[in-house]
Amino acid sequence: MGQGSGGQEAGGVSGKGVPDSAQVVIVGGGIIGCSTAYHLARAGVRDVVLLERHKLTSGTSFHAAGLVGQLRSSANITRLLKYSVELYGRLQAETGQATGFKQNGGLRLACNAERMTEIRRQATTAHSFGLEMHLLGPKEAQDLWPVMEIDDLVGAAYLPTDGQANPSDLTQALAKGARMEGVRIVEGVSVTAVKTARGRVTGVVTDAGEIACESLVNCAGQWAPGIGALAGVAVPLSSMQHQYLVTEKVEGVAPDLPTLRDPDGLIYFKEDVGGLVMGGYERRPLPWAERGIPEGFVFSLLDWNYDQFEPLMESALHRVPRLAEVGVRQFINGPESFTPDGNFILGEAPGLGGFFVGAGFNAFGIAAAGGAGWALAEWVARGEAPMDLAAVDIRRFGQPHRSADWVRARTVEATGKHYTMAWPHEEHESGRPARVSPLYGRLKAAGAVFGEKLGWERPNWFAREGEAAADVYSYGRQNWFEAVGEEHRAVRERVGIFDQSSFAKFLLVGRDAAAALSWICAGEVAREVGRVTYTQLCNRRGGIECDLTVARLAEDRFYIVTGTGAATRDFEWIRRNIPDGQDAHLIDVTSAWAVLTVMGPRARDLLAEVSAADLSNAAFPFASCREIAIGGAPVRALRVTYEGELGWELHLPSETAAAVYDRLVAAGEGFGLANCGYRAIESLRLEKGYRAWGSDITSDDTPLEAGLGFAVKLKSNTPFLGREALLGQREAGLKKRLACFTVDDPAVVLLGRETLYRDGERVGYLASAGWGYTVAKSIGYGYVRQPGPFDRAFLEGGSYELEVAGERVACELHLQPLYDPTNERVKA
């Protein structure tokens, strides 16, 4: 690893100070670029060059509002924002550069009962993540923020460790800290091309010369899609207009006034030299630069849009009436980059090694920059994410996100929801439908209410006769609760059919396919032809990067099935971890194959009506794959389950899906066949204890911690990625363990993130939760955590409670599946 001071001793330097080589080149001199440079240097990567086309902060950082909040729905993203606060608190002393940071706390208001429920649940989430958050009454909130009216307040929440900063000063402090560690920062240089070879970045071309590099980090803000396009990498973000104003001094505004968010009014405030900064997020925000960002747009703002801002101004005058008596020092309309899901973008781009992205910060870039810069720097320096960052990982995107029009439409919708209620199970509406299975029309006619994932339309539930086929959101039992219960019972008692065509499906082919998968998979996949293996794919720490099913079709051919949302991530993980020199080639065949899942105690009887294949246990045992025929259509049948019942996944050519579905439906009348959706799957899998990747299991969790040790080939001497870490963990003992918890009171709605207590001490939180219709209880799964190793006796020896929306409720721990713990029904 290069340790020179900016690489100038290793090669030549242009007239603008551009070296001819560097280990890492960062593009973009905003706060995230400077933070990444600072943290790379702190991580020991000193051969770093940061290129800025004009001056530091000249893009969007200079006009950011500068609120520094911390709480997000992801524990690790909250952790990054907490790190930002810690960093900003010490940065001025470390560098001598003022930052304008002050930890004056943050208030969040509730003006109606449902918003108060949301805030109560947010407070519980904060406690789950180790963040201090207090619930207040209206008068208590006014005591902290005396210039506001509280006539319509129901309550508020207060985070004492939130704060605010001066974005330009903070960026300059990070830049100074980076320079102090040897980073070269070059202003006035534009990147014009990205050089690649054999699937990796090899350098950048600038208007001041070429720079050879091992890694390129795209921190170009709203210009990031253009830098990505130079390398063939899609960076899904759009520029959106964001307006705020700065007032003259307001009587009663003290320097330590907390930041204030009034989401029901769609507005926020912060103190500024005795006055107030006030801005907000309209329900119908305005995109910008739809045909590209104008040349020379530096330190630039947009024209003030009075009509657009008027509703926000009305909200502000209602909350702070004395605003009508003070002047306005400045009106600011500055474009910022937003993403289709409201989360920022980090990580190494799929398909191009060494190309990293840190962009799309959705108006909380100042709050996120410290932690995001640290995480991105660790990713670049170590070759993998330092923790589970799936919520912001660029690999969460897929096919629709390569379309600028689709991204813009979804981003407008997501930005418009910035301050609206964050309902459980809420679906986006824009850009739909984008990807549909061959059964879309049939299922819609049958009452399907669709959700969307990675562009795919997927039935969430089916409206019964006389019911509206639409979601009605609330924090209580939603309108689909009873309909999903009927689907659940159909699977438990009769037979259900699910359209799961959106599953990601890959082929791994080649002479060394078995050897490659044996290295990548923690489970034993190199088994006889016709066997199906459920397995995890682990990182070097033993954490679960992927969770999927592998069917061996031939000696040199494997069929891999994984979740819809994991399509890009899992494909990239497998591709990148095929050992060098091995003859193994990964092919995405998702669109070629539809999937019909038939589950329930009558599943065998139904399939026997439409196929001549022998479906007996002897001929077709659990965890096996056979080629069968249904009505002349070839079907790859996998006897597996995620619902905890006898059943098969039927993988068939997409062009045959409609005919096979019709045949199954016709034959199913005699068996009580029901169309079923993904919400029933969630309820069914919770009862059976099947893990969900992204919640119950992540790259921070090992199979041993998740209770999946049975799926790992530790007893064999076969090497695999992550094996040494798992052996070490087994020897040292576990410090966390996934367990099931149930609540008897049917009025308690568990959604996930509820805080878990053992004997009165906080030990974790629920990763996923829902209702089990067979057991008639709320069910949650969460990790019990302790500083040192513990055993089963410790788990079973405690008394457990959950904090739900600020209230403690008793819960019961379970270490076995609630339903069919011996798998008798699965293997019937």
Side-chain angles (χ1 to χ4, degrees):
M1 180 178 292
Q3 299 293 321
S5 57
Q8 59 266 47
E9 297 177 7
V13 179
S14 78
K16 286 189 176 181
V18 173
D20 58 15
S21 68
Q23 185 178 348
V24 181
V25 172
I26 300 170
V27 182
I31 191 167
I32 183 62
C34 290
S35 178
T36 304
Y38 169 88
H39 286 97
L40 276 169
R42 301 276 291 192
V45 186
R46 299 181 186 274
D47 187 9
V48 177
V49 175
L50 186 151
L51 303 177
E52 164 54 45
R53 68 193 177 98
H54 189 67
K55 298 290 185 182
L56 298 185
T57 78
S58 64
T60 59
S61 294
F62 82 95
H63 63 68
L67 280 69
V68 181
Q70 297 167 87
L71 181 61
R72 291 294 183 271
S73 59
S74 159
N76 280 351
I77 305 308
T78 299
R79 179 179 164 191
L80 293 187
L81 271 62
K82 288 171 65 177
Y83 171 84
S84 291
V85 166
E86 295 165 6
L87 172 66
Y88 300 164
R90 68 173 188 265
L91 198 58
Q92 182 168 333
E94 179 185 311
T95 65
Q97 166 70 47
T99 63
F101 177 70
K102 54 184 178 181
Q103 204 164 11
N104 48 343
L107 271 170
R108 190 175 183 93
L109 308 183
C111 299
N112 55 65
E114 287 188 312
R115 181 72 73 176
M116 195 64 208
T117 298
E118 179 187 62
I119 282 181
R120 289 182 184 279
R121 286 191 173 270
Q122 287 173 338
T124 293
T125 299
H127 301 157
S128 293
F129 298 167
L131 193 63
E132 187 179 356
M133 188 172 181
H134 305 284
L135 294 171
L136 307 178
K139 185 61 174 66
E140 292 174 301
Q142 190 180 46
D143 289 343
L144 289 171
W145 228 83
V147 295
M148 73 170 167
E149 288 295 317
I150 60 170
D151 57 330
D152 61 339
L153 281 196
V154 175
Y158 177 58
L159 287 90
T161 57
D162 277 1
Q164 64 186 71
N166 182 304
S168 293
D169 288 348
L170 188 56
T171 304
Q172 294 293 348
L174 288 164
K176 185 174 182 180
R179 288 190 182 104
M180 289 166 63
E181 297 287 343
V183 172
R184 178 187 292 275
I185 296 178
V186 188
E187 298 177 310
V189 172
S190 296
V191 171
T192 58
V194 176
K195 304 190 78 173
T196 65
R198 295 180 295 280
R200 282 198 63 85
V201 166
T202 59
V204 296
V205 180
T206 78
D207 56 7
E210 293 188 15
I211 309 174
C213 64
E214 297 173 18
S215 297
L216 174 65
V217 189
N218 179 3
C219 297
Q222 60 182 343
W223 291 266
I227 298 298
L230 296 177
V233 172
V235 182
L237 59 83
S238 290
S239 297
M240 304 293 296
Q241 299 184 41
H242 179 60
Q243 298 190 123
Y244 66 88
L245 57 79
V246 186
T247 75
E248 302 285 359
K249 287 189 176 182
V250 178
E251 183 181 352
V253 170
D256 62 349
L257 190 74
T259 61
L260 179 75
R261 293 168 177 83
D262 181 0
D264 292 311
L266 307 177
I267 53 175
Y268 63 79
F269 297 87
K270 77 164 187 174
E271 185 275 339
D272 185 86
V273 198
L276 290 171
V277 170
M278 187 282 289
Y281 296 92
E282 310 93 330
R283 296 182 189 276
R284 294 180 177 83
L286 299 177
W288 180 71
E290 296 176 68
R291 298 183 180 180
I293 300 171
E295 192 67 32
F297 191 84
V298 294
F299 285 124
S300 299
L301 296 172
L302 308 178
D303 292 337
W304 184 258
N305 189 320
Y306 292 94
D307 292 339
Q308 181 76 359
F309 198 73
E310 184 177 5
L312 302 182
M313 194 70 236
E314 290 175 357
S315 292
L317 288 169
H318 168 76
R319 185 62 57 213
V320 187
R322 67 185 63 175
L323 284 178
E325 304 167 6
V326 300
V328 175
R329 285 195 286 124
Q330 195 174 12
F331 294 98
I332 295 173
N333 183 2
E336 298 186 27
S337 54
F338 287 76
T339 64
D341 61 3
N343 285 322
F344 54 87
I345 305 171
L346 285 188
E348 192 171 14
L352 185 61
F355 189 100
F356 293 83
V357 178
F361 280 86
N362 303 281
F364 65 100
I366 306 305
W374 168 80
L376 189 53
E378 290 293 309
W379 209 327
V380 173
R382 315 298 177 209
E384 64 181 29
M387 60 177 119
D388 170 41
L389 294 172
V392 296
D393 193 325
I394 191 171
R395 293 173 297 173
R396 73 187 188 271
F397 299 122
Q399 180 177 300
H401 300 91
R402 303 190 72 86
S403 163
D405 290 339
W406 191 95
V407 168
R408 186 178 303 108
R410 178 59 57 85
T411 301
V412 167
E413 180 184 6
T415 306
K417 292 178 176 178
H418 197 86
Y419 273 168
T420 60
M421 292 286 295
W423 297 114
H425 313 292
E426 186 176 8
E427 295 281 350
H428 289 305
E429 297 177 0
S430 56
R432 299 176 57 183
R435 307 174 77 181
V436 300
S437 91
L439 305 178
Y440 178 74
R442 284 168 166 79
L443 299 178
K444 190 172 185 179
V449 181
F450 292 92
E452 178 263 333
K453 181 167 283 191
L454 213 66
W456 282 98
E457 295 293 321
R458 312 189 315 167
N460 276 340
W461 61 284
F462 287 81
R464 298 167 296 184
E465 189 172 349
E467 286 183 327
D471 290 327
V472 178
Y473 300 122
S474 77
Y475 272 96
R477 301 291 180 205
Q478 296 190 2
N479 66 312
W480 43 262
F481 183 77
E482 293 299 336
V484 170
E486 288 193 8
E487 295 171 26
H488 175 112
R489 286 184 284 273
V491 174
R492 288 280 183 254
E493 299 167 7
R494 306 185 309 275
V495 59
I497 187 168
F498 303 85
D499 178 13
Q500 296 192 278
S501 299
S502 65
F503 273 158
K505 299 162 285 272
F506 315 136
L507 281 177
L508 187 73
V509 298
R511 181 183 63 253
D512 300 315
L517 271 185
S518 289
W519 165 249
I520 296 168
C521 296
E524 185 58 76
V525 296
R527 304 161 78 183
E528 62 268 26
V529 173
R531 291 300 302 272
V532 178
T533 304
Y534 165 63
T535 182
Q536 293 77 49
L537 282 58
C538 298
N539 55 37
R540 289 176 292 184
R541 307 186 308 274
I544 302 170
E545 291 285 346
C546 316
D547 179 70
L548 43 77
T549 299
V550 179
R552 189 166 197 174
L553 305 183
E555 292 297 317
D556 60 353
R557 184 173 294 257
F558 292 82
Y559 185 63
I560 302 168
V561 184
T562 190
T564 306
T568 305
R569 177 192 183 92
D570 289 6
F571 185 92
E572 190 68 6
W573 183 264
I574 296 168
R575 186 188 68 81
R576 288 197 175 182
N577 284 289
I578 296 172
D580 291 340
Q582 289 195 341
D583 177 31
H585 309 279
L586 190 64
I587 307 163
D588 189 336
V589 296
T590 298
S591 296
W593 294 85
V595 180
L596 295 174
T597 301
V598 178
M599 285 288 155
R602 304 300 304 275
R604 180 179 283 119
D605 300 331
L606 170 58
L607 290 177
E609 284 285 308
V610 297
S611 176
D614 186 348
L615 302 171
S616 65
N617 258 328
F620 208 144
F622 183 72
S624 62
C625 172
R626 300 284 185 271
E627 300 293 332
I628 68 173
I630 297 178
V635 176
R636 180 176 295 153
L638 279 62
R639 189 174 167 194
V640 293
T641 183
Y642 192 57
E643 295 77 12
E645 296 291 344
L646 168 70
W648 282 261
E649 285 179 10
L650 307 177
H651 296 245
L652 56 159
S654 291
E655 68 272 16
T656 67
V660 171
Y661 172 80
D662 289 345
R663 196 173 181 93
L664 286 165
V665 169
E669 289 185 6
F671 302 101
L673 178 69
N675 281 305
C676 303
Y678 274 82
R679 292 196 176 134
I681 292 176
E682 180 67 4
S683 173
L684 293 160
R685 74 96 186 166
L686 284 169
E687 289 187 338
K688 185 63 175 134
Y690 291 144
R691 284 35 170 168
W693 194 91
S695 54
D696 306 324
I697 50 177
T698 72
S699 58
D700 287 343
D701 311 309
T702 72
L704 304 183
E705 294 166 338
L708 298 173
F710 68 89
V712 181
K713 55 184 180 234
L714 283 180
K715 292 182 180 179
S716 75
N717 292 320
T718 306
F720 64 88
L721 185 57
R723 184 175 190 270
E724 298 308 315
L726 295 178
L727 287 172
Q729 186 179 67
R730 187 176 67 177
E731 181 68 23
L734 300 180
K735 298 179 182 179
K736 68 176 186 179
R737 178 67 162 81
L738 187 69
C740 173
F741 300 89
T742 58
V743 175
D744 288 336
D745 184 352
V748 173
V749 178
L750 299 182
L751 298 172
R753 308 296 186 271
E754 290 84 2
T755 317
L756 177 64
Y757 296 88
R758 179 187 181 275
D759 295 341
E761 294 188 6
R762 181 168 58 90
V763 292
Y765 57 90
L766 297 186
S768 67
W771 179 260
Y773 292 89
T774 303
V775 300
K777 292 181 180 182
S778 286
I779 305 168
Y781 285 85
Y783 287 90
V784 177
R785 293 170 164 85
Q786 286 292 294
F790 60 89
D791 57 14
R792 185 185 181 111
F794 172 86
L795 282 172
E796 295 180 328
S799 175
Y800 292 91
E801 292 177 301
L802 289 168
E803 180 186 329
V804 184
E807 302 292 332
R808 296 274 187 100
V809 298
C811 63
E812 184 179 353
L813 173 138
H814 307 268
L815 296 179
Q816 295 294 324
L818 300 173
Y819 181 78
D820 190 27
T822 61
N823 286 330
E824 291 180 15
R825 295 177 71 88
V826 169
K827 298 182 178 181

